[in-house]
Amino acid sequence: MGRVELIAAHTLDSAVQWVADLLFRQYQDALSEADCYTISLAGGGTPRNLYALLASPLWRAKFDWERIGIFVGDERHVPQTDPRSNFRMIRETLLDRVLVPQRNLHPIRTTDDIESDAKLYAKVLEQSLPTASRFVRFDTVLLGLGPDGHTASLFPGSTALHETERSVVDVVPPNAPTPRITITPPVINNARNVIVLTAGHLKAGALARLLAMDGTVDDIPARAIDPIDGKFYIVCDLPTCERLDELPLRDGIVTRRL
Ligand code: 6PG
């Protein structure tokens, strides 16, 4: 595993502020070289605060939303109107409040054929993103972290953790009733920047095992995150860090306290 910057913010709000600043820098870097900044957004609850901040008047005015491609890293296989939908959450907290053109939005289709939906999303990625070493390349992939160490919809013991050919797969989570569609580790690790945003003491065990010297991807799926040449940031609040002294940590962790 390569270098990871661990940003330990005092609170979730300060963590979110730091991620917003980081995203703006990554957006500027991308547009200095290309016409569009591409980001894969995370689902779940933690990023809601970030999306709401980005949609606030001061922040939304900083971005040219016409030049941002919005994707989602994983999706519950439910209609986009379903409260469990990640894209519905992203729409409600961010997209409905900024002027991003429809052509820049890339939700994951959810019909009654999950395999064809996964294949379609892989095709959408190929048509929308540059490719490097066989896989599409995002400017930024934003992820969360589950208490069991999952990220996106890559769950403990899942064969998707060892996918080497497909960029998008459908999965059945071990403890959740809803099938999912998710990008795979080769896509995550091909990104220019990977950011894990997580918070709360419920994630402290997962973070400690993610950063521990020893551990397996099957046990802690977020250990599959290992960008080939991109930057890797883990941004969290202090309660998430409360168990980092329990295990010997691996090399390459650069910690910054905010
Ligand atoms: C999802 C997410 C998932 C999430 C983690 C953390 O579809 O739920 O992709 O990977 O990021 O479960 O979720 P919270 O932020 O709600 O704790």
Side-chain angles (χ1 to χ4, degrees):
M1 165 104 8
R3 183 179 190 272
V4 53
E5 275 200 62
L6 175 62
I7 311 298
H10 203 69
T11 63
L12 174 56
D13 280 349
S14 50
V16 160
Q17 180 71 48
W18 197 89
V19 172
D21 287 327
L22 178 64
L23 290 178
F24 185 62
R25 293 198 298 276
Q26 292 174 0
Y27 156 86
Q28 290 180 308
D29 290 348
L31 296 191
S32 68
E33 298 173 6
D35 293 336
C36 189
Y37 167 62
T38 59
I39 182 168
S40 171
L41 294 176
T46 305
R48 296 179 70 98
N49 303 42
L50 170 64
Y51 303 153
L53 178 64
L54 294 174
S56 63
L58 178 68
W59 271 93
R60 65 175 177 241
K62 294 161 74 84
F63 295 90
D64 177 355
W65 296 93
E66 295 254 346
R67 301 179 71 189
I68 301 180
I70 304 274
F71 302 77
V72 62
D74 69 314
E75 186 58 274
R76 294 84 178 274
H77 204 248
V78 294
Q80 275 189 33
T81 52
D82 189 299
R84 293 167 293 176
S85 163
N86 282 334
F87 209 79
R88 170 175 158 167
M89 179 273 289
I90 295 166
R91 196 179 284 284
E92 287 174 346
T93 54
L94 174 61
L95 302 179
D96 287 349
R97 300 166 63 192
V98 297
L99 295 173
V100 56
Q102 195 62 33
R103 67 177 181 277
N104 290 22
L105 303 181
H106 306 283
I108 296 174
R109 186 186 72 178
T110 54
T111 63
D112 57 3
D113 183 346
I114 192 168
E115 280 189 30
S116 86
D117 291 338
K119 286 178 183 159
L120 176 66
Y121 195 53
K123 194 167 292 184
V124 166
L125 297 184
E126 284 160 22
Q127 292 167 349
S128 313
L129 298 166
T131 298
S133 57
R134 290 195 308 121
F135 288 94
V136 293
R137 187 172 174 82
F138 282 103
D139 290 308
T140 302
V141 171
L142 176 70
L143 297 167
L145 180 67
D148 61 355
H150 81 261
T151 192
S153 285
L154 300 168
F155 290 92
S158 170
T159 54
L161 289 168
H162 306 285
E163 179 62 44
T164 57
E165 297 302 319
R166 293 174 292 172
S167 57
V168 181
V169 294
D170 59 288
V171 298
V172 179
N175 304 314
T178 313
R180 308 272 190 103
I181 288 177
T182 185
I183 57 175
T184 57
V187 170
I188 293 172
N189 291 326
N190 217 27
R192 292 176 185 276
N193 299 281
V194 180
I195 305 169
V196 170
L197 171 62
T198 190
H201 67 89
L202 290 178
K203 309 298 178 70
L207 182 63
R209 291 159 65 207
L210 167 55
L211 295 177
M213 175 85 72
D214 301 317
T216 68
V217 164
D218 284 294
D219 182 35
I220 292 286
R223 290 180 77 98
I225 304 170
D226 187 13
I228 296 166
D229 59 7
K231 293 181 182 169
F232 182 15
Y233 303 88
I234 299 175
V235 188
C236 60
D237 63 2
L238 289 183
T240 324
C241 300
E242 62 192 16
R243 294 179 55 183
L244 289 182
D245 56 357
E246 289 179 3
L247 298 165
L249 300 183
R250 65 183 181 216
D251 297 335
I253 302 169
V254 176
T255 302
R256 190 188 313 180
R257 292 191 180 280
L258 299 185

